[in-house]
Amino acid sequence: MIAFDFAYFRPNTLKEATEIYKQIALTGKTPVYYGGGTEIISMARTGSVKFDAVIDIKSIPECTTLCVESDRLIIGSAVTLTKIAESGCFPLLGETVSRIADHTIQGKITIGGNIAGTIIYREAALPLMITNSKVKIIRKNRLHDVPFFDVFDGDLHLQKGELIVQFLIDKNYLNLPYCHVKKTKLDKIDYPLLSMAAIKTNNGISAAVSGLGDKPFLLPGKILNETDIPETIRVDKTIAAIQNNIISDLIIASKEYRVFVLKNVLTQMFHNFKGA
Amino acid sequence: MLAFSEKSIVKLNVNGENVTVMINPSYTLLHVLREELGLTGTKPGCENGDCGACTVLVDGWPIKSCLMLAAEAIGHQIVTVEGLKNAPIQKSFVENWGFQCGYCTSGFLMVCHALKNIHPDANDFVIEQWLQSNLCRCTGYGEIKNAVKAVLENRI
């Protein structure tokens, strides 16, 4: 049970959503945009968050679309992880999100919710970080397309009232050779020791990881693509270069163990991309 | 726009019937099913989305009702274990010893029933992927998997 009262709104348009947000905020109350709501409900139940109103965006067509339009894949921020995985529209993203939480919860978690979450992993962001993706956001009552990294540096940075409406991915990235690895400590359903998404383009390998730091981050592409030196050296150089990003205090595994896992995962990634 | 800020009377579609119920926006679907509608087949477990005991179907897909507001269910079709009404998966659980203490059973039944409908040709990987959403502390996973396979292979 959630121990405090709040109002529920389910707008049918973006205009309705932003207007109700503004109206509530003007009265000094706290509205939150609500997608799948799994984290909001969990945290509200334990008293970790409090708000006065939820604005459920799942009836807004722009937020629930999943389609390829001209040269890009458009994923509404309220599209569930299950829908993304089942659609097969972007295999790397589908594989990545189908390892978040468990299968039933994936039918409730939305891509926007995972990326906006407070849990440090935000694995749905990994494929977006390596594909020059953009987001369509509502900012000052207008829709803007901005690079994903303008609002996300591992944490999501939006001003109050701003909302991610869609994620936009260039069609050319959708079917490139890719590699996704998620390692957990014991059970398949668990937070990751390490989750990595990587693709290989004509320009080389791009990879992003989650679980090593206090937020997802890119691995140094320059080192990964130093093709004139052996892969084993590239692995060691990559690990040396990201030392400052790796946090040591994770209860599920020591820093040393997670680095050991990364070393194996990178070796596997180079092997997978051979000939690709 | 659907909007309400205090206890209100709303219509939910549960097990094929439109029911009128008074809910507060902060009520979870689990709470409303059990405490307001008396459908106690849906079990409270962790109430944190981990155990799957409270799983119901929303528009045919399994959902953990502890992580869904009842307000979100307005306009959608909810099926609880009471709505299965002797579905093949229930018979299969009996014939394959798919339960021991039975507390997790209704949640497992809902997941397995949805799996049969959505992926009737599910392979072992898909079956395990779906079943991993639910916990059985009696560890009856092998028997539950047998029950699902019997239904998928039309042996029930």
Side-chain angles (χ1 to χ4, degrees), chain A residues 7-262:
Chain A
Y8 176 85
F9 298 91
R10 195 195 295 174
N12 297 310
T13 63
L14 288 170
K15 193 164 181 271
E16 282 181 351
T18 51
E19 279 178 2
I20 195 67
Y21 188 102
K22 212 185 309 173
Q23 280 175 27
I24 297 165
L26 277 173
T27 63
K29 293 183 175 173
T30 307
V32 290
Y33 285 120
Y34 182 98
T38 53
E39 186 175 296
I40 289 177
I41 292 176
S42 298
M43 292 178 72
R45 191 178 57 78
T46 57
S48 306
V49 291
K50 207 160 183 300
F51 40 81
D52 298 298
V54 296
I55 301 171
D56 185 347
I57 61 170
K58 294 193 291 294
S59 286
I60 301 171
E62 290 91 335
C63 295
T64 54
T65 189
L66 176 61
C67 64
V68 175
E69 208 172 270
S70 58
D71 58 348
R72 59 193 189 177
L73 172 66
I74 301 173
I75 306 176
S77 56
V79 173
T80 65
L81 304 187
T82 295
K83 197 170 172 191
I84 292 168
E86 293 264 339
S87 74
C89 59
F90 182 8
L92 171 58
L93 181 61
E95 216 169 282
T96 305
V97 300
S98 66
R99 290 295 313 278
I100 293 172
D102 63 51
H103 183 269
T104 298
I105 303 266
Q106 287 158 19
K108 193 76 171 37
I109 298 174
T110 61
I111 183 169
N114 179 259
I115 287 168
T118 59
I119 298 173
I120 62 173
Y121 303 107
R122 303 183 193 104
E123 290 158 87
L126 298 175
L128 304 177
M129 294 169 74
I130 55 175
T131 51
N132 289 325
S133 296
K134 291 183 173 178
V135 288
K136 189 181 286 293
I137 62 170
I138 290 187
R139 177 173 284 167
K140 294 178 182 166
N141 292 327
R142 293 186 59 189
L143 287 168
H144 301 265
D145 290 0
V146 300
F148 183 51
F149 283 119
D150 276 12
V151 295
F152 187 85
D153 64 359
D155 294 313
L156 187 63
H157 298 285
L158 292 176
Q159 299 299 312
K160 279 188 176 174
E162 292 182 348
L163 170 70
I164 293 184
V165 178
Q166 293 168 341
F167 297 91
L168 314 168
I169 302 119
D170 189 314
K171 207 166 80 175
N172 292 323
Y173 285 101
L174 302 184
N175 292 301
L176 289 171
Y178 71 90
C179 175
H180 171 256
V181 181
K182 176 173 175 173
K183 295 287 186 187
T184 53
K185 189 174 181 182
L186 192 62
D187 289 329
K188 200 172 173 188
I189 308 296
D190 200 355
Y191 292 122
L193 288 171
L194 171 70
S195 186
M196 185 193 72
I199 55 162
K200 190 173 182 187
T201 68
N202 290 336
N203 298 323
I205 296 169
S206 299
V209 291
S210 165
L212 287 175
D214 58 1
K215 54 188 177 184
F217 62 88
L218 288 170
L219 295 179
K222 198 175 166 197
I223 298 172
L224 292 177
N225 293 296
E226 281 181 317
T227 50
D228 53 335
I229 59 173
E231 287 164 1
T232 49
I233 307 285
R234 279 189 263 168
V235 169
D236 290 340
K237 282 182 76 174
T238 299
I239 289 169
I242 62 171
Q243 282 301 311
N244 290 340
N245 296 80
I246 304 174
I247 50 171
S248 52
D249 300 329
L250 283 180
I251 199 164
I252 54 173
S254 65
K255 176 178 177 178
E256 288 73 20
Y257 186 64
R258 283 179 287 125
V259 168
F260 167 75
V261 172
L262 174 64

Side-chain angles (χ1 to χ4, degrees), chain B residues 76-153:
Chain B
H76 297 279
Q77 295 190 324
I78 314 300
V79 176
T80 68
V81 72
E82 290 88 347
L84 289 187
K85 296 178 179 155
N86 296 321
I89 191 66
Q90 293 172 292
K91 189 171 180 223
S92 191
F93 264 58
V94 173
E95 293 191 1
N96 288 279
W97 303 92
F99 54 88
Q100 292 174 55
C101 84
Y103 198 82
C104 69
T105 305
S106 50
F108 267 108
L109 284 170
M110 304 316 289
V111 168
C112 297
H113 185 72
L115 174 61
K116 161 73 177 166
N117 290 339
I118 293 167
H119 288 298
D121 54 353
N123 57 23
D124 277 2
F125 177 81
V126 174
I127 293 170
E128 282 180 21
Q129 188 183 34
W130 281 58
L131 292 184
Q132 278 166 348
S133 301
N134 294 54
L135 297 177
C136 168
R137 291 299 76 187
C138 306
T139 65
Y141 299 108
E143 290 81 359
I144 292 168
K145 193 173 174 187
N146 290 342
V148 181
K149 290 186 97 164
V151 167
L152 292 172
E153 292 164 6

